[in-house]
Amino acid sequence: MRSWSGCESATDVLDEVVQLFDQAVSARESKAEREMRDALAERGKAGEDRQALLDDLLDIIVDLGLD
């Protein structure tokens, strides 16, 4: 963080603070987006696993019904 100097105006300091705030918000949004993408991918994987299990169970039930 830069210290206040006599050459800087209040506007320059405010601009720098706003820029730092924007960077912080952007970083937080990027992290949230990654976390959401990971959660959705995990949910999709769980759904695929559940579907595979149901397919296997159906095969077993059909096989038992034929005997």
Side-chain angles (χ1 to χ4, degrees), residues 3-58:
S3 63
W4 178 269
S5 72
C7 296
E8 289 182 311
S9 69
T11 304
D12 293 337
V13 172
L14 180 59
D15 286 346
E16 188 172 337
V17 168
V18 169
Q19 182 181 10
L20 291 171
F21 178 78
D22 286 347
Q23 289 173 353
V25 169
S26 178
R28 185 67 184 146
E29 286 177 347
S30 294
K31 181 180 179 192
E33 185 178 333
R34 280 191 310 275
E35 289 173 352
M36 178 64 72
R37 189 173 45 244
D38 292 347
L40 289 173
E42 188 62 34
R43 184 187 299 176
K45 176 69 172 127
E48 290 172 4
D49 291 345
R50 190 169 31 255
Q51 184 62 45
L53 176 61
L54 291 174
D55 289 345
D56 291 344
L57 288 174
L58 182 60

